[in-house]
Structure formats: structure tokens, C-alpha cells
Amino acid sequence: VKMIYIDPPYNTGNDFIYEDDFAENTADYLQRSNQKDESGNRLTANPESNGRFHSDWLSMMYPRLKLARNLLRDDGVIFISIDDNEQANLKRLCDEVFGEENYINSVSVNSKVSAGASGGGEDKKLKKNIEYLLIYARNFSILDPVNPVYKETLLSDYISQMKKDGKSFKYTNVLYKKNDTKFIKSIKDGAGEAIEIFEICDFEFKTIKQIAALEGITENAVFVKYYEKIMTTTNAQTSIRDRVWEATGNENQLFAARYRPKSGKNKEKMTELLFYGKQKVLVIWLKDTSIVRDNKIYKREKIGTYWDGFSWINVSKEGDIKFDNGKKPISMIQRMIALYTACPEALILDFFSGSATTAHAVMQLNAEDGGKRKFIMVQIPEACDEKSEAFKAGYKTIADIGKERIRRAGQKIKTDNALTAPDLDIGFRVLKIDSSNMNDVYYSPDAISKDDLHTFIENIKPDRSDEDLLFQVLLDWGVDLSLPLERKTIADKPVFVVADDAIVACFDRNGGVTEAFITELATLKPLRAVFCDAGFASDSVKINIEQIFKLLSPSTDIKTI
């Protein structure tokens, strides 16, 4: 797994639905004191007065975080949402599970609309406006560089806000003319690589206002027309500024330095920097801190550890599914995915999936950037509150809400992006945890009676479908459960074909598997073939199956259940 995002239940003093035995003696105590029923369900809330208020929550989280770490790739990351009740304790817990050296950041997320009042004691506390994201790596030393993510603001709005704040917008000049470039000399950088210096003999700067007056257009039009040439200067140091200064003296002129940086965004790329005047101030460009889209300029600011700008007003209705239980904005999860999944086929996991916002975000991002990321959503079938809109709409469990949201969101995303992403994959497969498909027949002779023998005739439980058997086989073989699956009919028998003949399976349990059927099946030359023991027409057919495959498809691995 490349990235895990979890939004676990916050420790608010409410009941846990997770049937964990935090410690054996405590579990016994809770049942004996009628705080748990015989199935292990807690019968009381987790109030702050409970001496194990923090311990119970952390004990629920600890094994899940251990498992999360084991599931991550070596270059994987995990994001964990939390509020201030357990933020400090969760940080210590993650330091233990992932290691302090693998801590990346703590992000503050502005959630002022959804946070509501501060709860009990609100007359003594400030209203909660912030939630947190803890970010850890599986192995920080080999973690990929973070992909820059930006907050974008329409340039005119950005300039207006700066004026309101009493600040001035620096990018007000244009390199109106730049001609007659003359080579001066070649010097060396710190690594001994060449820096070629040129003098710009014919150049002219004009202000935005001057050009607007000269050409009779608006200042906004100047920004668009001269976008590539709009600049300002700065005294900021670069790795080569002093070297250029020494090489050109105090000449009040414009110089260009061309070289290949050893680090940074232009690493190993031929780069040109302009230095101006006696002080050799660096010329910096508006185009490097903005983007043009639909003939409009958007100022870009690199995202740091404070995240805002998400719409929380209608977040409970996102995905066309009403769900009020701590839903997060799609755009927030998209930002997380974009930061660390440059890999276009990254696998993303959420094991507190709720309404499946993470799945929605993955599909949306794939539609936007052409990625083929996959998701795994895990959600226990927690019952919906009978008073909730979701329950009234027919959703019995939170897992049901998530499944329906993925269906609706996927279809809408595919429709909205029909031209730009016609092959977008919005399919998903729903799997549920269950006991083995096989009857428990491992008894010693003295543990059974004659009357029990009839129950051991069938080794497969009677309520299990062919699909149940197929997926247990896939699990046994360690095969990806998301591989393409096709039903075929061969010699009047239903056959499952997985991933273009990688596996063929026939689960006939009524003696219908004959040599003629096996012969036709073997012509597919599958890598693996699976049958039920009860499906063979006779013992001789079962014996001959290996010979038939050796003759027609010798590389096929055969399994019988």
C-alpha cells in the first residue's frame, strides 16, 4: 500500500463499537460488572471520568496502527485525522509504532464550520476551529520527495486582498525588451561545473501601469498579454549570485547566467537566471509562482502545514449521500493523495472508510490527472442510527452507505469526464469477511459418534456459493482479488475465468466433471485449474485429469478442494 488515510472515531466520551479485548483482566471485569455483554459489546459509554478514558481509545488504535505499518510499502505514508482530545497521545503512539525518525508533519486543518461549539465547559473554552493530520512514513530515508501542492487564487482577487491587508504586490514590472545578448566569460560553480555569463546589451523595463497607458488596455489585460515577461527583483541569495557578482564587478547592467543546478526543482536542467544592477539582484518571474488557465492567471502558494479553503458547508451531502458522522471534504483527501502518490498506479487504503470519501477522491483525482490509482475501503457493518436520514433512505449499515456512494460518485465522475477520461475505471468489488467455506472435519475418532458421521459427507458448507469458493481459492493462492473475472459456459458447465485464463475454476459438486469436459477446458491452457472433489464423475476421471493436462497444457497447476 502506497498511502493509508484513516479518520478513526474520535475519543469523545461515546461508546466504542469495536469489540476489542484491551486487556484480558479488564475485559473480564467489564463483563462481570455488566459493562459488556457475552458477545463483547460495550454496554456503557467511555466517559472522561473513566480511569481508562485515554487508555481504552489508544488500546483500540494500537493494533490497527501496527497492522497499518505492516501493510505499507517501504516508501509508503499514512495520514491520520484527529482532534485535540487525543492528538498528543496519538503522536506518542505513532512515534512508538512508526518510529520518531519517520515522523513527517502535523498539519492543522481549518474545520471551523464543522467543528461547532466546544461542548461541555464551552463557557471556559475557545471554540474548536482546528483538527489535525499526523503524517508518518514507513521509512523516511527512502521516501519520495513530496509533490508540491498549491493553493490557487485568481490574481485580481489576490492583489485586491493584498491591498486590503496594506501590502504591495511586487510583480509590477515587465522586461519589455531583451536583445543583443553577448557572451562574457565562463566560470565554475562550487562543484566545478561551468556557469556561462552573458551580457544583455539592449533591454528595457516598463511598469504594468506604463504599458496599460501606452497600449490603451487594462492592467489585467497587460498581465495576460505579457505574462511570460512580468517580473520583480530580490536580494535573495542563490548558489551562484556571489560568483556572478565577482565575475562582473559593479557594472550597472543586466546579465544572464546559464548553468545546470545540482538540486532543486531544476536539478540537472539547463537554467537561465538574470541578475541586474550593481547589487546583482535576482530577477524572478510571475510565471514561476502562478499558472494560466482559461486565459486567467491564478497566483499559486505552496501548501504548508496549515490547510484551509475547504468547503465544509455541504460536506455531509457530498457524493449525493447524506451522512453526518464526521465526513471529510473530497478536496482535502485529494490533496493528501496528490502529495505522495506520483506513482500513477498507487494503492490507497482507508480502514475507517465511513461513507467512502477516500474512494470518491481517488476516482476524482484519476479523472483529473489520468492516474490509475486503486483503493481499498474497509468498514465494519455498523448499524445506522434509526433516526438518521440514511436509515430512513433504506441504508441499514454505514457500509451500505459507502457502497452506494461509490456507485453514484463513480457514475457521475465518468459522465462529467466523458471526453477527457473515457476509459476511467470506476468498477469495484465488495468482499465480506466470513468463516472458512470448509466444514470443520478435523476431529479425533473419540470426539464423534456414529450419529455425527452423516455431517462429514460434504467437506464444503451447504450455504456457500461458487463465488465463495472461488475467492477462498484466490486468497489461498495469494492472487489479487481485483483481477478481472469472467463467467463462461464450457460443455454446459459454468466456469470462472480469472485474468484471461490465469485461473479457470469449475465448482460442480454433482459429479458432472467428465474427461470430455476436462479435455475442452485444458485447451484454454490456464496457469491454474480448480475443481471440487465431489465434482468428478468417477475416481478414474479424477486420476486421468493430470494426464489430460500433461498432454494438452503441461504447465497448468491443478488444485482440488
Side-chain angles (χ1 to χ4, degrees), residues 240-258:
I240 65 169
R241 180 186 175 193
D242 289 342
R243 298 176 188 274
V244 174
W245 198 340
E246 291 174 6
T248 58
N250 291 324
E251 293 184 47
N252 190 16
Q253 187 58 280
L254 182 65
F255 295 94
R258 296 174 186 169

Side-chain angles (χ1 to χ4, degrees), residues 41-303:
N41 298 304
R42 291 176 64 95
L43 303 177
T44 63
N46 184 40
E48 292 188 28
S49 58
N50 175 14
R52 294 177 55 88
F53 176 71
H54 295 291
S55 178
D56 282 359
W57 187 86
L58 291 168
S59 295
M60 181 273 292
M61 289 295 296
Y62 181 78
R64 289 166 172 81
L65 292 178
K66 289 282 285 187
L67 178 59
R69 182 185 179 279
N70 292 339
L71 292 172
L72 280 174
R73 290 170 20 168
D74 285 343
D75 62 348
V77 293
I78 182 170
F79 291 78
I80 310 170
S81 283
I82 196 63
D83 68 356
D84 51 7
N85 277 336
E86 297 291 357
Q87 188 272 341
N89 289 325
L90 180 61
K91 172 69 168 58
R92 295 188 184 97
L93 184 61
C94 288
D95 284 344
E96 178 177 332
V97 172
F98 295 97
E100 290 185 58
E101 69 279 7
N102 293 314
Y103 168 71
I104 299 176
N105 280 120
S106 293
V107 174
S108 298
V109 181
N110 187 333
S111 57
K112 58 184 178 183
V113 175
S114 67
S118 56
E122 62 185 31
D123 57 328
K124 301 178 182 179
K125 299 179 181 179
L126 299 177
K127 179 181 177 180
K128 293 182 181 179
N129 300 122
I130 297 294
E131 290 189 356
Y132 303 94
L133 270 175
L134 295 185
I135 313 175
Y136 279 80
R138 170 69 188 264
N139 187 341
F140 186 83
S141 64
I142 63 170
L143 184 66
D144 296 330
V146 64
N147 301 313
V149 174
Y150 300 92
K151 176 183 177 181
E152 297 181 357
T153 308
L154 192 64
L155 184 63
S156 56
D157 293 342
Y158 183 85
I159 295 173
S160 296
Q161 186 60 50
M162 289 194 73
K163 289 180 179 178
K164 290 179 183 178
D165 295 340
K167 302 176 181 178
S168 60
F169 185 63
K170 303 298 183 184
Y171 294 91
T172 56
N173 293 301
V174 176
L175 182 54
Y176 197 69
K177 182 169 63 172
K178 175 177 173 277
N179 300 312
D180 194 12
T181 301
K182 181 174 67 175
F183 176 73
I184 299 296
K185 64 176 67 174
S186 180
I187 60 176
K188 303 292 184 181
D189 64 13
E193 300 295 330
I195 302 174
E196 295 184 337
I197 301 177
F198 299 81
E199 180 181 353
I200 314 299
C201 301
D202 183 19
F203 67 94
E204 182 181 3
F205 294 114
K206 287 185 183 294
T207 67
I208 298 288
K209 290 182 181 294
Q210 286 173 334
I211 295 175
L214 179 66
E215 300 188 10
I217 58 178
T218 65
E219 291 186 15
N220 282 338
V222 175
F223 275 109
V224 174
K225 182 177 180 180
Y226 291 92
Y227 175 69
E228 296 284 335
K229 298 181 178 182
I230 296 172
M231 43 71 67
T232 187
T233 58
T234 176
N235 282 318
Q237 292 292 328
T238 74
S239 61
I240 65 169
R241 180 186 175 193
D242 289 342
R243 298 176 188 274
V244 174
W245 198 340
E246 291 174 6
T248 58
N250 291 324
E251 293 184 47
N252 190 16
Q253 187 58 280
L254 182 65
F255 295 94
R258 296 174 186 169
Y259 74 117
R260 295 182 185 274
K262 295 301 179 185
S263 60
K265 66 177 182 179
N266 293 323
K267 181 178 179 180
E268 301 299 340
K269 297 178 182 177
M270 182 57 71
T271 303
E272 180 179 273
L273 298 181
L274 297 185
F275 296 91
Y276 176 63
K278 293 182 178 181
Q279 302 295 322
K280 301 302 177 290
V281 290
L282 175 67
V283 174
I284 55 176
W285 305 97
L286 176 64
K287 64 184 179 182
D288 291 333
T289 62
S290 62
I291 189 172
V292 176
R293 191 166 52 246
D294 298 329
N295 213 33
K296 295 179 181 178
I297 302 173
Y298 293 85
K299 189 70 172 66
R300 304 178 85 187
E301 297 174 280
K302 191 176 289 187
I303 297 297

